Amino acid sequence: MDCSSWINTSLDLNINPRRVHEDVPKEVESKLFSLGMPKFNVEEECTNDLEEELKRVTAENKKLGEMLSVVCENYNTLRSHLMEYTRKNGEKETSPTSKKRKSESSNINSICVMGTNNGNSESSSTDEESCKKPREETIKPKISRVYVRTEASDTTLIVKDGYQWRKYGQKVTRDNPCPRAYFKCSFAPSCPVKKKVQRSVDDQSVLVATYEGEHNHPQASSQMEATSGSGRSVALASVPCSASLSTATPTLVTLDLTKSKGSNNDSKNTRTKVDSPKVKQVLVEQMATSLTTDPNFRAALVAAISGRLLHNY
DNA sequence: CGTTTTTGACCAGCGC
DNA sequence: GCGCTGGTCAAAAACG
């Protein structure tokens, strides 16, 4: 259920800013201050207060972490119940209104991605069970359904799945006020695959993508990166999901995006999951979000910048 | 200028 | 046969 549970995109940076501060000479400190950066306060009378504050914040952080894990656990339990329920409902669904939908519902294979579609979402809760299997394995039935969590404010009906799609229609359906978008695979002219994307009636932050048919060509994403200038269908399938920060010295901060994906995680199981291009994409987006929102990463940036300045002067 | 998106029109299946 | 609905087409607009 929770993709973040099988691969941790948080870098868990262990930066100690105080150590940086102690190494900064006064002239650099004043230059940093003139650049608008906060002046490092190393006065002794503040140290005790700061340590107390640090302890308090650490304890609070720990408590919040425990609460978060409980909430995630409950969420995952509820989600598994929901998936089980929808799966059973799908089996019962034998009397749709139209002939086309009859054939559609006969062999729908639901996949719940529930990841961040656009990288803006802070949600780290994903469907682990469904993430375990790459879509290529579950596309055997002609029709499959994928659920993708997006920002509720995001009005686009774009589901990034590594393929290149051309929108050919949009329609408001009776049972859902949100419009349904129709896409054809545009990577290969002969590819018969179609995709319908519509927001869920129950939860409008969830996009429901219904795939019809099978691709008769390899996934476009890796070739797209190299050959096409069109950035409309962005996929980062080939980017390894590895980032590391060296904190051995306060002056060195390294983002290692060149590591092979295998070296990132010992778990064989996890590696299999990461091999799915869709999962990779979600991971990369989650990692980008983690980086930009992680206060530790910001602290590391400050350390790196101050360290660089220290070297220059 | 080529490609993609938008959107109104059209078509086919279904229920009454 | 008629109306409703979902799906597709294609011309125009938008975009890079």
Side-chain angles (χ1 to χ4, degrees):
Chain A
M1 277 294 175
D2 188 353
C3 289
S4 62
S5 68
W6 46 264
I7 182 159
N8 183 10
T9 53
S10 168
L11 299 175
D12 194 19
L13 304 177
N14 192 15
I15 301 296
N16 184 359
R18 268 189 67 201
R19 190 180 161 192
V20 179
H21 304 167
E22 286 162 9
D23 294 341
V24 179
K26 291 224 163 158
E27 61 263 24
V28 175
E29 190 178 318
S30 62
K31 275 170 186 161
L32 283 176
F33 185 65
S34 68
L35 286 171
M37 300 186 74
K39 188 176 181 177
F40 301 126
N41 188 355
V42 293
E43 291 177 16
E44 206 167 307
E45 60 242 35
C46 293
T47 308
N48 288 337
D49 291 343
L50 287 173
E51 280 178 353
E52 274 182 28
E53 179 72 7
L54 182 63
K55 279 178 190 171
R56 192 186 62 78
V57 170
T58 305
E60 192 177 333
N61 190 27
K62 191 180 175 185
K63 197 183 287 181
L64 285 171
E66 287 168 0
M67 285 172 65
L68 181 64
S69 64
V70 170
V71 168
C72 284
E73 202 172 307
N74 290 340
Y75 172 83
N76 289 336
T77 309
L78 280 173
R79 176 144 294 286
S80 62
H81 287 324
L82 176 65
M83 291 309 295
E84 182 69 18
Y85 176 77
T86 51
R87 191 181 60 81
K88 282 177 182 172
N89 256 18
E91 287 167 1
K92 285 180 192 172
E93 212 173 292
T94 52
S95 57
T97 54
S98 79
K99 183 182 168 186
K100 285 175 184 175
R101 274 175 287 165
K102 259 181 206 168
S103 62
E104 185 178 307
S105 60
S106 61
N107 52 359
I108 281 183
N109 182 26
S110 289
I111 305 170
C112 186
V113 173
M114 302 302 292
T116 56
N117 185 38
N118 53 13
N120 293 331
S121 172
E122 277 295 312
S123 166
S124 62
S125 293
T126 51
D127 187 338
E128 185 176 7
E129 291 304 313
S130 57
C131 286
K132 277 180 181 174
K133 294 182 180 177
R135 223 192 82 229
E136 283 72 19
E137 287 179 17
T138 52
I139 204 169
K140 274 184 183 176
K142 266 190 176 177
I143 296 171
S144 61
R145 192 173 285 170
V146 178
Y147 299 85
V148 181
R149 181 171 289 283
T150 64
E151 287 269 345
S153 57
D154 185 10
T155 56
T156 60
L157 290 169
I158 298 170
V159 176
K160 298 173 189 172
D161 53 12
Y163 290 96
Q164 191 180 9
W165 300 95
R166 181 181 175 276
K167 188 177 179 182
Y168 67 91
Q170 182 166 316
K171 201 85 175 177
V172 177
T173 55
R174 205 168 62 97
D175 54 341
N176 192 337
C178 299
R180 175 186 294 170
Y182 299 90
F183 296 90
K184 283 178 182 172
C185 181
S186 65
F187 181 72
S190 59
C191 182
V193 180
K194 290 175 190 171
K195 177 172 82 168
K196 289 180 283 190
V197 181
Q198 190 172 30
R199 297 199 171 274
S200 170
V201 192
D202 302 325
D203 186 356
Q204 302 215 343
S205 65
V206 174
L207 284 176
V208 182
T210 307
Y211 294 85
E212 285 182 52
E214 292 177 84
H215 293 279
N216 56 11
H217 57 85
Q219 189 162 15
S221 59
S222 55
Q223 296 164 48
M224 290 287 299
E225 292 283 314
T227 59
S228 171
S230 169
R232 292 182 191 243
S233 178
V234 180
L236 298 170
S238 60
V239 178
C241 304
S242 165
S244 67
L245 277 167
S246 168
T247 56
T249 65
T251 59
L252 178 64
V253 177
T254 312
L255 276 177
D256 186 2
L257 295 173
T258 61
K259 276 188 182 175
S260 72
K261 53 200 166 198
S263 65
N264 188 41
N265 202 312
D266 294 333
S267 166
K268 201 175 182 179
N269 198 20
T270 300
R271 185 178 174 175
T272 310
K273 296 169 199 163
V274 172
D275 279 345
S276 166
K278 192 181 295 179
V279 174
K280 283 183 203 166
Q281 185 183 339
V282 169
L283 283 173
V284 169
E285 288 168 353
Q286 279 188 6
M287 186 176 295
T289 307
S290 293
L291 285 175
T292 52
T293 58
D294 193 335
N296 287 335
F297 179 71
R298 290 178 184 170
L301 269 182
V302 171
I305 293 168
S306 60
R308 181 72 65 181
L309 288 171
L310 184 63
H311 274 270
N312 288 343
Y313 291 103

